[in-house]
Amino acid sequence: MKKRTLIQALGLAALASASGLSLAQQQPFKIGLILPMTGQQATTGRQIEAATRLWIAQNGDTVAGRKVQVILKDDTSLPDVTRRLAQELVVNDKVDVLAGMGITPSAMSVGPIATQSKTPLVVMAAATSSITEASPYIVRTSFTLPQASVALADWAPKNGLKTVVTLVSDYGPGLDAEKFFKDRFLFNGGKVPETLRVPMRNPDFAPFLQKVRDLKPDALFVFVPSGAGAAVMKQFLERGMDKAGIRLIGTGDVTDDDQLNDMGDGALGVVTSHHYSAAHPSAANKKFVEAFEKANKGLRPNFMAVGGYDGMRVIYEALKKTNGKGGGDALLAGMKGQLFESPRGPMFIDAQTRDVVQNIYLRKVEKKNGQLYNVEFDVIKDVKDPGKSR
Ligand code: PHB
């Protein structure tokens, strides 16, 4: 440092300590938000960005004396890009927190950066069970596929579905959904004659659905990532699978609130299990949905939006607990154990696993006021990620 700048810096520091704030606290608090804003997962980016903006509009952009600055980067859902952007955000922008992560490979690629730089990484979307094990600095506000899948494997055999074929995207969350649905369904006395896996990128469901038609199970269980559900639904109906007596069931990623209303009446009656529905009947959720739709030209929030909204809360509360000081380890400690009412219902960040504990709901697609919704009809309370006890 040149002498002049050193003197200036010392002067600034003296001024800062006289006003009771450290130099760090006078800096903005930076959140490096990495999302797929373009490409196959763009709806996830759009939903989470809108939710973080809503959170800030409702809660202000100053927390414990620190101005909050969100630096949004588009990773186009390519994990190499996610890793490079995370590196730049940590090294050049000196962000206090990393957040976002639209898909599992993105979250996995940033784990080592979070660990080395001691930067908390708030995973708002990606949902493979093992993500939280990729770094001790990862905290998750989305959900896990084992969490969502097990409930349906308990519901199905009690409701006349004895043989089920599974169809999942061939990567982390799909493999979790397949394993945890199948194991539990077999345990419950069901039969799984076939497990089908479709490519994650640009899948063509047609040949897989043809196979399912030939096998003629009672139901087809599906996991595809947010954004791909409408294509599955369309092809399922076009092939007359429902008329052939095959029911469609799945995790709520399939009847995604971002797309559900455009899927048409063919979606009526589809049963899924998930942690969030825009139709969740609580005052907190009504308020959230109304405000979100108002701020986004009528766009309905989906489960990605709620992961982003709650992720912002977790970050804000952690910063408050440090009295605005921040610091990777202090922020992480402030995130662990948070318990609050989300639009999804009660939620808890397990201090041991840093993963979300939440209610899982069974829902059926129904029409309400002329619109399609996932209407909740049963709940399994306080579900921990079953993937953690492996
Ligand atoms: C993931 O890649 O972890 C993922 C993406 C979209 C979903 C669920 C999981 O809907």
Side-chain angles (χ1 to χ4, degrees):
M1 220 186 274
K2 286 208 185 93
K3 205 168 171 193
R4 179 100 178 266
T5 42
L6 183 66
I7 290 168
Q8 275 171 350
L10 286 172
L12 214 77
L15 224 135
S17 66
S19 68
L21 288 172
S22 76
L23 204 57
Q25 282 169 282
Q26 303 215 319
Q27 307 279 334
F29 182 84
K30 294 183 187 168
I31 303 171
L33 181 63
I34 310 179
L35 293 170
M37 300 306 298
T38 53
Q40 190 174 299
Q41 304 308 124
T43 55
T44 295
R46 175 180 64 167
Q47 286 274 350
I48 296 181
E49 189 204 359
T52 56
R53 304 241 171 273
L54 178 64
W55 174 268
I56 294 171
Q58 291 176 333
N59 296 277
D61 66 354
T62 305
V63 180
R66 292 285 291 280
K67 191 98 180 156
V68 175
Q69 186 187 348
V70 175
I71 307 176
L72 175 66
K73 300 281 179 188
D74 175 12
D75 68 1
T76 70
S77 86
L78 295 175
D80 288 344
V81 180
T82 323
R83 187 192 303 113
R84 177 175 56 73
L85 291 171
Q87 189 81 36
E88 287 170 10
L89 284 165
V90 166
V91 174
N92 302 342
D93 298 292
K94 310 218 168 3
V95 295
D96 297 279
V97 170
L98 288 164
M101 308 293 124
I103 55 167
T104 291
S106 295
M108 291 299 195
S109 78
V110 178
I113 298 171
T115 306
Q116 281 152 26
S117 64
K118 298 185 188 292
T119 308
L121 167 60
V122 178
V123 174
M124 295 169 159
T128 301
S129 172
S130 59
I131 287 175
T132 43
E133 284 147 35
S135 167
Y137 286 85
I138 291 179
V139 169
R140 172 155 43 199
T141 59
S142 52
F143 74 109
T144 79
L145 265 308
Q147 222 171 26
S149 305
V150 165
L152 204 57
D154 285 339
W155 176 86
K158 287 192 224 139
N159 289 273
L161 308 178
K162 306 290 184 201
T163 57
V164 176
V165 170
T166 60
L167 174 76
V168 302
S169 276
D170 192 4
Y171 78 117
L175 304 186
D176 269 2
E178 178 191 285
K179 175 175 172 28
F180 282 82
F181 178 85
K182 184 180 167 191
D183 287 359
R184 184 68 155 237
F185 189 64
L186 293 178
F187 175 81
N188 287 332
K191 288 199 175 64
V192 179
E194 187 77 81
T195 53
L196 303 170
R197 298 176 181 178
V198 298
M200 191 232 165
R201 308 259 175 209
N202 309 312
D204 174 12
F205 299 108
F208 296 96
L209 290 176
Q210 189 54 50
K211 183 129 197 222
V212 177
R213 235 199 117 125
D214 297 342
L215 289 162
K216 224 175 167 310
D218 296 327
L220 172 66
F221 167 88
V222 177
F223 164 79
V224 287
S226 183
V232 173
M233 186 71 74
K234 186 162 174 275
Q235 294 191 28
F236 185 85
L237 297 173
E238 274 172 9
R239 295 190 163 259
M241 314 273 288
D242 53 337
K243 305 234 163 50
I246 303 168
R247 280 188 71 175
L248 180 63
I249 59 173
T251 62
D253 310 71
V254 180
T255 54
D256 187 343
D257 272 306
D258 188 82
Q259 300 182 318
L260 178 59
N261 208 24
D262 299 323
M263 288 185 194
D265 288 356
L268 286 168
V270 171
V271 170
T272 55
S273 51
H274 228 205
H275 58 296
Y276 179 69
S277 164
H280 179 63
S282 71
N285 185 49
K286 286 204 177 87
K287 202 170 144 233
F288 170 69
V289 174
E290 268 173 35
F292 189 97
E293 290 185 344
K294 190 156 174 247
N296 297 286
K297 300 191 182 113
L299 177 69
R300 186 192 289 183
N302 71 356
F303 61 99
M304 294 301 187
V306 95
Y309 191 74
D310 292 332
M312 288 299 284
R313 174 195 292 266
V314 165
I315 296 169
Y316 268 43
E317 289 305 315
L319 181 56
K320 276 186 208 161
K321 285 191 197 159
T322 70
N323 294 318
K325 255 176 81 186
D329 286 311
L331 287 169
L332 184 69
M335 290 177 185
K336 291 180 184 175
Q338 283 193 31
L339 172 66
F340 55 90
E341 194 195 351
S342 151
R344 70 186 88 181
M347 95 173 227
F348 170 56
I349 303 292
D350 184 328
Q352 255 69 53
T353 61
R354 293 160 279 102
D355 219 336
V356 53
V357 179
Q358 59 193 336
N359 293 346
I360 294 296
Y361 306 89
L362 286 158
R363 315 96 51 84
K364 186 188 254 171
V365 178
E366 288 176 15
K367 211 168 225 176
K368 276 189 11 183
N369 308 323
Q371 295 201 30
L372 297 181
Y373 281 100
N374 293 297
V375 176
E376 295 167 359
F377 64 86
D378 204 356
V379 56
I380 300 97
K381 292 211 166 126
D382 303 327
V383 181
K384 276 183 134 190
D385 173 29
K388 296 292 184 293
S389 47
R390 272 176 291 183

